[in-house]
Amino acid sequence: MKIPDYIKNILGELEKAGYEAYLVGGCVRDLLMDRIPFDWDITTNAQPDEIQKVFPDSVYENDFGTVGIKIRHSESETEIVEVTPFRKEESYSDKRHPDKVTFTSNIEDDLARRDFTINAMAMGLKLEARSTKSKTNSNVQNSNTISDFNLVDPFEGQKDIESKIIRAVGEPEKRFGEDALRLMRAVRLAAQLGFEIEPQTQSAVKKHAPSLKMIAHERIRDELVKLVASADPEKGIILMQELGLLKIVLPEVEEGVNVAQNKHHIYNVFEHSVKSLGFAAKYNFNVYVRWASLLHDVGKPRSKEGSGPEASFHGHEFIGAKMVTRALERLKFPKDFIEKVYTLVRYHMFYYNVGEVTERSVRRLVRKVGPENMAELLELRQSERKGSGVPKAEPYKLRHLKYMIDKVSRDPLTVGMLKVNGNDVMQTLGIEPGPKVGYILNALLEEVIDEPARNDRERLLARMKELNRLPLSELIKLAEAGREKLEDEKEKENESIKKKFYV
Ligand code: ATP
Ligand code: MG
């Protein structure tokens, strides 16, 4: 495992100035496991102002003593490496932030405040490896391997790495009581590393689960994002459920626990959701598909009617899509992320059968879902079918649909693909910029989607004059016809269910 020169140089410079300096935490864990570290953390017995004296090109702007050292990889690329003085933390009255942070001169005190034994190790450069010579470039060199380092491991983290165990440093009950984010970190690390949580640590997680409510949604989201993107997210979500974290963080998914489905499924709603997520990860699908796989059926418990093999879940994709939006908004996901997952969940029930579905209806599907979301919608279908436990002969159907999508995607599906644009509308009709321009273009598009041959410039220019003579309300109806009509009808159908559940 290689350690970049610029990291080794920071350690070397601090040592040269007479301080102790170590790589610490997650990067040491990852190096020992032959994984690529996500970030590099360095700790030292130098105080913040002393660190800044050694590295003038640095910033110091938080309460924890962390100094950010600027590394200029190139003209346009700089990286900040964080160097933090050895710290020990004292009491935590809010389960989030230590009431005060104290610096210490002892690396072992600093390691003792860390969450898990595998994260509580440090590595210092061996004496003979300290010469930094004139290595000013930041490229990784073959020479910097962990054999150049001494390991500081007072809590037997290396042993726990070997046994694949996540174990709290010190008394688990006390440690989760101090900082409830550690509850999420435990399950996230288990999913990322494929480790088990040691039994005492596990029962402390269970006991402290409710205190997760005290933690900012953004911080929980960051851990969840890592968990879902990990190698084994299925394991992570199941652990969260078993340990009582899921009902706090994602109650929408918890609702599916023990909700039986029907003859098309062998798993209950929760099992099906995590298995779908598992397949999405196995197939290496991106984060949107993974989140949609986990969430696509959250509307099922609330829309279930009847029981046994004939139970039905009409409209669960509408209810579910709304629940998904709320859940992701609560967790402070970015707007475009929410929109994308919403779209996948909202349309995951799309109907497709070879021979039965026309090109026109495929064009409508692509138009509604958005050409940019189609690949992911198909991947969602793939992981979700696999996750049902009774996969039917979908691969051929999906291949055929892909072919159809490919075929129709050369047809105009968005206003941008029309042979006329907004300027043409304004010039031809002598109107100002405004919503009407959009209505005209969309009404034209609706007709073109029904019949691509209509995308002829002369014809469109003539047709827009006719449309311009319609009353505005008529025009709006035409403009929104294909996109909205179908949805409205379905939504009405579900009105009663929605009322019942306040969604
Ligand atoms: P990642 O691979 O995602 O970076 P990480 O374990 O390195 O995982 P960081 O957030 O980078 O996580 O934290 C660096 C180190 O700081 C951890 O390895 C751990 O030693 C310590 N740490 C982080 N968060 C906590 C916490 N809530 N309580 C105690 N120690 C923590
Ligand atoms: Mg890290």
Side-chain angles (χ1 to χ4, degrees):
M1 195 62 229
K2 315 282 189 329
I3 295 144
D5 267 355
Y6 64 94
I7 293 296
K8 193 183 159 204
N9 285 349
I10 295 175
L11 297 171
E13 292 293 325
L14 285 163
E15 299 270 5
K16 224 168 48 190
Y19 304 107
E20 289 175 49
Y22 301 89
L23 287 175
V24 70
C27 63
V28 175
R29 171 199 74 214
D30 290 339
L31 287 170
L32 292 173
M33 290 182 70
D34 232 351
R35 290 167 55 96
I36 297 163
F38 178 75
D39 46 20
W40 299 94
D41 287 309
I42 292 172
T43 186
T44 176
N45 62 348
Q47 297 292 296
D49 56 319
E50 296 172 326
I51 301 173
Q52 287 210 279
K53 254 183 223 137
V54 182
F55 304 99
D57 197 5
S58 59
V59 282
Y60 174 37
E61 53 191 21
N62 69 28
D63 303 335
F64 303 110
T66 301
V67 174
I69 296 174
K70 283 195 193 141
I71 303 293
R72 299 179 193 280
H73 292 297
S74 69
E75 275 294 299
S76 55
E77 200 195 341
T78 33
E79 178 181 340
I80 303 277
V81 179
E82 297 194 332
V83 179
T84 308
F86 299 163
R87 269 162 43 192
K88 68 181 171 207
E89 274 148 28
E90 270 140 356
S91 58
Y92 293 69
S93 42
D94 64 356
K95 298 195 194 298
R96 278 179 295 195
H97 308 105
D99 296 332
K100 77 176 203 269
V101 174
T102 343
F103 297 138
T104 163
S105 56
N106 184 344
I107 178 68
E108 307 220 341
D109 288 341
D110 181 278
L111 295 175
R113 75 172 168 88
R114 294 174 183 271
D115 48 7
F116 305 110
T117 59
I118 57 169
N119 288 344
M121 292 180 277
M123 274 177 16
L125 269 178
K126 284 181 183 163
L127 211 54
E128 62 272 22
R130 277 186 200 166
S131 79
T132 51
K133 297 210 184 82
S134 61
K135 289 179 187 166
T136 42
N137 73 344
S138 60
N139 295 332
V140 178
Q141 293 219 342
N142 295 337
S143 54
N144 306 332
T145 63
I146 56 176
S147 60
D148 293 340
F149 289 82
N150 288 316
L151 188 68
V152 186
D153 181 15
F155 304 102
E156 303 194 305
Q158 197 171 22
K159 205 170 114 200
D160 283 341
I161 285 184
E162 267 151 37
S163 347
K164 297 180 180 289
I165 282 178
I166 292 164
R167 182 196 313 270
V169 171
E171 244 179 88
E173 291 267 346
K174 187 165 152 264
R175 304 313 310 283
F176 293 115
E178 288 167 358
D179 178 0
L181 186 69
R182 292 172 188 160
L183 301 161
M184 281 302 302
R185 288 179 52 87
V187 290
R188 182 264 279 191
L189 285 163
Q192 271 184 332
L193 307 175
F195 281 22
E196 301 306 317
I197 304 178
E198 174 275 329
Q200 261 187 299
T201 302
Q202 203 167 123
S203 56
V205 172
K206 223 170 181 167
K207 189 161 164 195
H208 285 271
S211 60
L212 206 49
K213 290 189 190 115
M214 317 262 296
I215 300 296
H217 292 297
E218 291 85 344
R219 299 181 70 206
I220 293 178
R221 175 203 60 206
D222 290 347
E223 294 301 324
L224 261 183
V225 163
K226 287 183 179 174
L227 185 153
V228 169
S230 74
D232 197 352
E234 183 179 350
K235 174 191 181 126
I237 300 287
I238 290 173
L239 254 179
M240 284 182 68
Q241 202 281 320
E242 288 170 354
L243 299 179
L245 304 175
L246 190 67
K247 62 170 179 270
I248 293 162
V249 173
L250 275 175
E252 294 83 359
V253 179
E254 177 84 21
E255 271 182 45
V257 173
N258 293 327
V259 175
Q261 303 204 67
N262 55 27
K263 61 187 170 198
H264 301 297
H265 288 268
I266 58 170
Y267 301 119
N268 69 39
V269 175
F270 174 72
E271 291 165 340
H272 168 59
S273 306
V274 291
K275 283 193 191 292
S276 303
L277 169 61
F279 281 108
K282 191 173 157 211
Y283 297 145
N284 246 322
F285 291 156
N286 70 19
V287 291
Y288 302 108
V289 180
R290 289 180 185 219
W291 277 90
S293 299
L294 173 65
L295 299 175
H296 71 283
D297 274 350
V298 293
K300 276 192 166 171
R302 298 186 190 187
S303 60
K304 183 169 180 178
E305 276 174 81
S307 60
E310 299 304 325
S312 69
F313 302 93
H314 292 301
H316 74 274
E317 69 272 36
F318 302 102
I319 295 177
K322 287 191 178 155
M323 290 169 71
V324 164
T325 301
R326 283 198 197 168
L328 297 179
E329 279 173 358
R330 184 181 67 236
L331 288 162
K332 313 280 185 210
F333 275 88
K335 204 165 167 269
D336 52 351
F337 184 96
I338 299 175
E339 262 166 31
K340 183 117 188 176
V341 179
Y342 168 90
T343 301
L344 296 176
V345 172
R346 165 66 186 79
Y347 293 106
H348 82 269
M349 293 295 288
F350 72 87
Y351 181 72
Y352 186 73
N353 224 344
V354 180
E356 212 180 307
V357 173
T358 60
E359 275 185 34
R360 179 172 169 273
S361 66
V362 175
R363 277 196 295 273
R364 290 234 170 264
L365 177 69
V366 178
R367 160 112 162 102
K368 278 190 297 190
V369 176
E372 72 284 7
N373 297 319
M374 287 310 295
E376 283 136 328
L377 188 68
L378 298 194
E379 291 178 346
L380 170 60
R381 174 62 62 88
Q382 223 174 310
S383 49
E384 180 260 319
R385 286 283 83 219
K386 269 292 217 184
S388 72
V390 280
K392 298 187 195 118
E394 290 272 332
Y396 168 66
K397 270 170 46 175
L398 284 181
R399 261 204 313 280
H400 191 266
L401 176 55
K402 259 186 208 154
Y403 155 78
M404 289 284 272
I405 291 169
D406 222 46
K407 195 164 164 202
V408 306
S409 60
R410 267 160 270 154
D411 298 334
L413 296 165
T414 61
V415 287
M417 294 162 91
L418 287 174
K419 292 266 165 65
V420 292
N421 61 25
N423 282 332
D424 298 322
V425 175
M426 291 186 284
Q427 266 172 26
T428 310
L429 305 180
I431 60 174
E432 298 288 304
K436 190 163 184 188
V437 180
Y439 299 146
I440 299 264
L441 287 172
N442 276 294
L444 292 172
L445 177 63
E446 288 311 327
E447 297 177 351
V448 167
I449 283 179
D450 283 342
E451 225 192 291
R454 290 180 180 159
N455 193 20
D456 170 86
R457 191 169 161 83
E458 291 313 311
R459 186 203 155 271
L460 293 171
L461 290 170
R463 178 68 182 142
M464 68 174 70
K465 289 181 197 154
E466 291 170 23
L467 290 171
N468 193 35
R469 286 195 285 274
L470 294 174
L472 191 64
S473 58
E474 277 293 297
L475 177 61
I476 293 177
K477 249 188 241 158
L478 287 178
E480 295 181 341
R483 199 163 27 135
E484 307 294 347
K485 210 171 73 199
L486 252 172
E487 283 188 37
D488 285 354
E489 275 166 20
K490 276 204 169 173
E491 294 253 342
K492 254 183 234 135
E493 212 174 274
N494 291 291
E495 207 80 315
S496 59
I497 306 172
K498 282 193 279 169
K499 279 209 186 97
K500 203 156 88 193
F501 295 104
Y502 313 100
V503 289

